[in-house]
């Protein structure tokens, strides 16, 4: 099986720092609706970031989310460019992570107690201010002309916020202590694994050992259940988006957009995502002056926005995607109910971990 690094955060979602470790989850694709996610054995490095979550689905589904108090989290609200979608659908998808902030904070607290109890450094990660679905990123299309003509896609800004962090200082430890840290956090390399079969097809696994797994076991009662349902929640939006991408209506819409861009001098760009990738490459290329990269991006984004307006691209694409979100919600109704039951039970345990404090810290 090929191997690849996994990172945290989806495009346009807040980046969350973590720690490179020795073992990550493996997901094996089975069937067209399954997700190909490749696991790898992590090596502790001086630049420590990214792989703290044991579930890998293009992004880690254990990204921290808002800390909320109470047995029932408030209904998430569609924000940013996602507000152009059906708000009820977005609330339902965001709801797959309702209360995750409290559960995440409780997991961090348990990991902290475990690691420091072993005499190892650990800095708990801070959650953002609201519950979010980390794989339901803002739309990678539909930038308004007023924004595109002034700041482009904000590629440089996103590149800056994606920088790695090492809050626990693992990179400053000796090689032997980094090895000890990794084994304490992720478990020993030869530790037994826990495997789960996913509703979308395929299997996923994680170590049964280490402070992270022990924390999740205490909170969720079953590593297999946590693995199955957290992976399901994180891959839900991705599965629906994959079906939307394969929709012939979206293919035709992208063809018309590409033809429009060619008329503006940008030939061979197949879709808006490709335009954003082109802009990002300009900022990442050290041979291109930053001012030129930004000017090039603004011109590209402006042409994109004009084609979007001329074709009604964003509105049409959101309608197609919403149909696939709705179909996925209907298809997985029973699975979503089981996920929410698990999350509610874990949320009650999470509050007990923090006692009577009004906010987990």
């Amino acid at each position: 099986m090929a191997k690849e690094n996994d990172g945290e955060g989806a495009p346009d979602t807040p980046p969350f720092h973590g720690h490179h470790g020795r073992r990550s989850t493996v997901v094996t694709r089975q069937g067209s609706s399954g997700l190909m996610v490749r696991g790898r054995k992590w090596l502790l490095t001086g630049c420590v970031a990214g792989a703290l979550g044991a579930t890998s689905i293009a992004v880690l589904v254990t990204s921290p989310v808002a800390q909320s108090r109470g047995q029932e989290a408030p209904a998430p609200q569609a924000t940013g460019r996602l507000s152009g979608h059906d708000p009820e659908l977005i609330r339902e998808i965001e709801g797959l992570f309702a209360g995750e902030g409290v559960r995440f904070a409780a997991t961090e607290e348990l990991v902290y107690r475990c690691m420091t109890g072993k005499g190892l450094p650990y800095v708990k990660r801070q959650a953002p201010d609201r519950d979010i679905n980390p794989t339901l990123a803002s739309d990678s299309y539909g930038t308004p002309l007023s924004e595109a003509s002034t700041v482009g896609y904000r590629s440089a800004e996103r590149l800056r916020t994606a920088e790695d962090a090492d809050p626990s200082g693992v990179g400053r430890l000796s090689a032997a202590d980094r090895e000890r840290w990794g084994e304490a956090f992720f478990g020993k390399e030869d530790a037994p694994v826990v495997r789960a079969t996913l509703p979308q097809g395929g299997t996923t696994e994680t170590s049964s050992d280490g402070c992270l797994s022990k924390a999740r076991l205490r909170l969720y009662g079953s590593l297999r259940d946590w693995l199955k349902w957290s992976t399901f929640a994180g891959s839900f939006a991705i599965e629906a988006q994959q079906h939307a991408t394969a929709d012939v209506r979206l293919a035709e819409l992208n063809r018309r957009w590409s033809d429009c861009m060619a008329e503006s001098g940008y030939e061979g760009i197949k879709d808006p995502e490709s335009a954003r990738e082109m802009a990002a490459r300009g900022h990442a290329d050290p041979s291109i002056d930053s001012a030129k990269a930004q000017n090039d991006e603004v011109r590209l984004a402006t042409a994109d926005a004009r084609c979007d307006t001329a074709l009604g691209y964003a509105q049409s694409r959101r309608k197609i995607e919403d149909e696939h979100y709705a179909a996925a919600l209907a298809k997985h109704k029973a699975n979503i109910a089981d996920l929410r039951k698990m999350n509610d039970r874990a949320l009650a345990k999470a509050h007990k971990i923090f006692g009577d404090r009004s906010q987990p810290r």
Side-chain angles (χ1 to χ4, degrees):
M1 178 182 291
K3 299 180 185 301
E4 67 182 10
N5 199 344
D6 296 313
E8 288 195 357
D12 299 340
T13 61
F16 304 116
H17 58 266
H19 309 277
H20 274 288
R22 296 190 52 169
R23 186 190 296 276
S24 72
T25 297
V26 177
V27 179
T28 304
R29 181 170 183 170
Q30 294 182 355
S32 60
S33 65
L35 295 172
M36 173 63 82
V37 183
R38 307 176 183 93
R40 61 163 294 174
K41 295 178 181 178
W42 300 98
L43 299 177
L44 290 168
T45 65
C47 186
V48 185
L52 185 56
T55 302
S56 308
I57 335 176
V59 302
L60 302 184
V61 302
T62 50
S63 296
V65 291
Q67 299 177 0
S68 59
R69 184 66 176 174
Q71 294 300 314
E72 295 184 2
Q77 300 298 313
T79 59
R81 294 177 190 152
L82 284 175
S83 59
H85 290 266
D86 182 328
E88 183 60 31
L89 290 176
I90 299 303
R91 280 193 293 271
E92 286 290 319
I93 299 171
E94 293 280 25
L96 300 180
F97 286 82
E100 177 67 11
V102 178
R103 294 189 297 272
F104 175 84
T107 302
E108 287 289 285
E109 174 65 22
L110 293 172
V111 170
Y112 172 80
R113 295 175 189 176
C114 179
M115 294 293 285
T116 55
K118 296 177 182 292
L120 295 166
Y122 189 79
V123 175
K124 292 182 286 185
R125 293 182 294 168
Q126 179 63 46
D129 60 0
R130 67 183 185 90
D131 286 336
I132 61 170
N133 182 330
T135 57
L136 189 65
S138 298
D139 292 336
S140 55
Y141 57 87
T143 303
L145 180 59
S146 58
E147 180 179 340
S149 61
T150 54
V151 295
Y153 302 125
R154 301 183 185 273
S155 298
E157 178 182 331
R158 292 192 177 101
L159 287 171
R160 285 194 299 270
T161 58
E163 295 177 355
D164 291 345
D166 180 14
S168 295
V170 180
R172 297 188 293 274
L173 299 176
S174 67
D177 283 344
R178 289 199 300 273
E179 180 75 11
R180 192 163 69 93
W181 195 100
E183 286 192 352
F185 185 80
F186 287 96
K188 294 183 178 179
E189 194 64 51
D190 59 355
V193 298
V194 175
R195 293 184 177 89
T197 300
L198 305 177
Q200 301 98 324
T203 61
T204 181
E205 66 182 36
T206 192
S207 174
S208 62
D209 191 23
C211 289
L212 182 59
S213 288
K214 290 176 181 177
R216 287 170 174 156
L217 177 61
R218 178 176 170 184
L219 190 61
Y220 291 91
S222 166
L223 278 177
R224 183 172 286 104
D225 286 349
W226 171 82
L227 195 55
K228 175 181 179 178
W229 295 120
S230 63
T231 306
F232 163 73
S235 60
F236 179 88
I238 297 173
E239 179 188 13
Q241 290 160 3
Q242 287 176 337
H243 286 297
T245 299
D247 193 306
V248 293
R249 295 172 297 171
L250 182 53
E252 173 60 18
L253 186 61
N254 282 331
R255 185 195 65 75
R256 294 170 58 205
W257 177 91
S258 182
D259 289 345
C260 178
M261 292 292 285
E263 293 175 1
S264 297
Y266 294 100
E267 296 185 1
I269 306 179
K270 64 179 184 178
D271 53 34
E273 287 88 344
S274 299
R276 283 161 171 73
E277 291 169 6
M278 179 186 297
R281 286 196 299 271
H283 288 281
D285 189 339
S287 68
I288 300 178
D289 178 77
S290 59
K292 182 181 185 305
Q294 181 61 25
N295 288 335
D296 289 346
E297 175 175 326
V298 167
R299 287 196 295 271
L300 175 62
T302 299
D304 177 2
R306 286 173 176 160
C307 287
D308 185 292
T309 300
L311 299 173
Y313 180 96
Q315 181 179 3
S316 297
R317 179 165 174 176
R318 285 170 181 148
K319 182 179 179 181
I320 293 169
E321 290 178 343
D322 283 353
E323 288 182 17
H324 288 281
Y325 286 141
L329 286 167
K331 173 185 175 182
H332 291 295
K333 184 177 181 179
N335 291 322
I336 291 171
D338 287 339
L339 163 69
R340 287 175 172 163
K341 288 177 183 177
M342 181 194 74
N343 284 343
D344 287 346
R345 290 193 298 267
L347 185 60
K349 291 182 181 179
H351 287 304
K352 291 180 180 179
I353 289 171
F354 291 105
D356 295 328
R357 286 185 288 184
S358 61
Q359 283 283 355
R361 299 181 187 278

